[in-house]
Amino acid sequence: MFGYVVVNKPELKFREFDVYRAYYCGLCHSLSKRHGLSGQLTLSYDMTFLVILLSSLYEPEHSVTSKRCIVHPIKRQNIISSEFTDYVADMNVILSYFKCLDDWHDDRSVLKLAYSKLLKKGSIGKNLNNVHATSDSTDDGSVAATQPSAVDDGSVAATQPNSDSNNQNSYFTDDSGHLHISPDYSYKNKIEAISSLLDELGTREKMNETNVDVVAGLFGRIMQILFVPFDDIYAKGLGRMGFYLGKFIYIMDAFDDVEDDVKKGHYNVFSNCYTDPDFETHVKDMLTMMMAECSDAFEMLPAVDNADILRNILYSGVWNSYERRVSKNLQNK
C-alpha cells in the first residue's frame, strides 16, 4: 500500500530473504482466501513487516506449506501462515477500504468506489456493514465515529467499547470462525477508530494544514491501531512502534510526492517549503527522529525470531525510498 517499509535485500542473507518471502506469500494467500481477488490486490510488503513482527513476538503456531499460484505457476513457493497472517490481512483490507472511500470523496473516483464495494464482500464485510448501520454515515459512505484515545508517545488507550461490549463474553468471530479475544480491541472498534481518524485527516488536508506533526500524527494513530491486536503487556510497545512508523510513512510519502502534488494542485503538507535550500535536511531529521523512536520501541520488545529481518527493515530498508528520491533530485539539478 505504501512501499516504504521494505527490506534492504542486498544486506539480507539468502535464508533470511527466503523466510521474508514466505511470510509475504503467506499474506498473499490469506488475502485471497479471506477476501478474494479484490483483497489480494491490496498486498504490500509494508504489511509483511507487521506479520513478521507479531509472529516473532507472540510465537503462534504456524503452518509451512508450498503452493503454486497465478504469479508463480511453475515453481512452488513456500508459505508461512498463522493467526496473525489472517489478522494483518484483515487490517490491510480495512485500511484499503477506507482509503478507497477517501479517494471517492476527494476525486469522485468511481473505480475506487466500486473497489470499496468489492472489498466489503470479504470475511470482514459484515463488520464494515455493522459499523455503517450503527453510525452516522456521510453521503460518501464514510463513518463518523468516536475518536480513539492515544497519547503522543504512541502508547495506546483502547477505544471505549459500546455498552453491549461490556460483557466479557462478547467476542468477535469472523466468517472463518476465528476468535478475537479482547472486546476492547474488536474489529468493530478498530474500524470505528480508523474511520474517525481518516475523517479528521481528510478534514485537516482540506484545510491545507501546514503542521506536519498534526497530519502525520493522525496517520501514526491509524498505524498504532493496526499494530496492536490485543490489550496485553505488549500493547504499549507495539502501539509506540506503529505510531512512529506511521508518522515516518506519512512524512516519507509527502516528501516523495511533493513535486507531483504541487503540479497537480493536490494537497501536500510540504507544498510551502519544498523549495527551501535545507528542505531535504529538515525532512531527513524528522524521518530520523521517527525511526529512532520506532526502533527504540522495537528493541524493548522480546522479539527474537527473525529479529535480523526486522532490524534490516527498521535500520536500513525504510531508507531505500528516501535515498532514491534524493538521488533523483541530484540528477535533476
Side-chain angles (χ1 to χ4, degrees):
M1 181 179 293
F2 313 111
Y4 301 121
V5 188
V6 297
V7 293
N8 185 353
K9 186 177 178 180
E11 298 298 324
L12 278 181
K13 297 175 182 177
F14 288 114
R15 179 190 61 80
E16 291 171 340
F17 184 75
D18 288 343
V19 171
Y20 177 75
R21 183 76 184 206
Y23 274 106
Y24 177 77
C25 290
L27 181 57
C28 180
H29 177 71
S30 181
L31 284 165
S32 175
K33 176 185 67 177
R34 297 170 69 79
H35 305 285
L37 179 60
S38 59
Q40 198 172 13
L41 291 174
T42 69
L43 177 67
S44 73
Y45 283 110
D46 305 81
M47 299 302 278
T48 304
F49 170 79
L50 183 55
V51 176
I52 299 174
L53 173 65
L54 295 178
S55 299
S56 176
L57 189 60
Y58 288 99
E59 299 181 342
E61 292 185 8
H62 62 270
S63 64
V64 181
T65 58
S66 61
K67 295 184 179 182
R68 297 185 181 92
C69 62
I70 296 176
V71 179
H72 303 98
I74 299 175
K75 184 179 179 180
R76 288 178 174 272
Q77 301 296 309
N78 289 332
I79 294 174
I80 299 177
S81 301
S82 73
E83 63 176 302
F84 292 110
T85 314
D86 291 344
Y87 167 78
V88 173
D90 292 346
M91 293 299 104
N92 196 48
V93 168
I94 289 169
L95 193 57
S96 299
Y97 169 77
F98 284 114
K99 180 64 170 66
C100 286
L101 289 184
D102 187 56
D103 289 343
W104 157 247
H105 182 263
D106 290 345
D107 304 324
R108 311 312 284 183
S109 172
V110 177
L111 287 177
K112 290 299 179 72
L113 179 62
Y115 188 37
S116 71
K117 294 182 183 298
L118 289 175
L119 290 175
K120 286 178 67 175
K121 294 182 178 180
S123 66
I124 60 169
K126 66 179 181 181
N127 296 282
L128 293 168
N129 286 327
N130 287 342
V131 171
H132 282 231
T134 57
S135 305
D136 294 325
S137 299
T138 63
D139 61 353
D140 63 340
S142 59
V143 181
T146 304
Q147 190 80 341
S149 173
V151 294
D152 287 343
D153 66 354
S155 60
V156 177
T159 51
Q160 291 299 315
N162 294 329
S163 57
D164 61 352
S165 298
N166 289 330
N167 180 353
Q168 292 300 309
N169 295 319
S170 179
Y171 300 135
F172 162 77
T173 304
D174 62 25
D175 289 348
S176 66
H178 183 71
L179 188 68
H180 299 273
I181 303 170
S182 173
D184 284 8
Y185 283 73
S186 69
Y187 278 24
K188 181 177 183 294
N189 284 342
K190 285 179 180 288
I191 289 168
E192 289 177 347
I194 291 169
S195 174
S196 176
L197 287 165
L198 283 172
D199 282 349
E200 184 175 348
L201 180 58
T203 299
R204 294 283 187 171
E205 290 180 346
K206 288 179 178 64
M207 294 169 59
N208 290 315
E209 178 64 64
T210 58
N211 187 333
V212 67
D213 244 3
V214 171
V215 286
L218 286 167
F219 190 76
R221 290 166 71 181
I222 292 169
M223 292 299 290
Q224 177 183 21
I225 292 166
L226 303 186
F227 266 59
V228 183
F230 308 119
D231 183 10
D232 59 13
I233 59 173
Y234 302 133
K236 183 175 180 179
L238 286 170
R240 187 165 169 241
M241 274 193 75
F243 179 73
Y244 285 107
L245 186 60
K247 291 185 75 173
F248 175 92
I249 290 171
Y250 190 93
I251 294 168
M252 185 64 239
D253 188 57
F255 174 68
D256 205 20
D257 293 343
V258 62
E259 293 182 3
D260 287 341
D261 286 340
V262 170
K263 289 178 183 177
K264 295 175 182 178
H266 293 172
Y267 168 82
N268 191 295
V269 70
F270 295 131
S271 295
N272 296 330
C273 62
Y274 79 102
T275 57
D276 294 351
D278 60 346
F279 173 63
E280 287 181 3
T281 301
H282 179 57
V283 169
K284 186 173 184 180
D285 287 344
M286 286 191 291
L287 293 173
T288 301
M289 286 190 289
M290 297 305 106
M291 287 314 301
E293 294 286 350
C294 178
S295 300
D296 180 68
F298 168 74
E299 297 296 349
M300 298 294 289
L301 293 169
V304 178
D305 290 346
N306 301 311
D308 288 342
I309 298 175
L310 295 168
R311 289 192 176 98
N312 172 281
I313 296 170
L314 291 172
Y315 295 110
S316 182
V318 295
W319 293 102
N320 288 347
S321 293
Y322 176 84
E323 292 168 358
R324 189 163 51 245
R325 167 53 62 179
V326 170
S327 177
K328 182 178 178 181
N329 290 346
L330 287 173
Q331 292 174 7
N332 292 337
K333 287 183 179 178

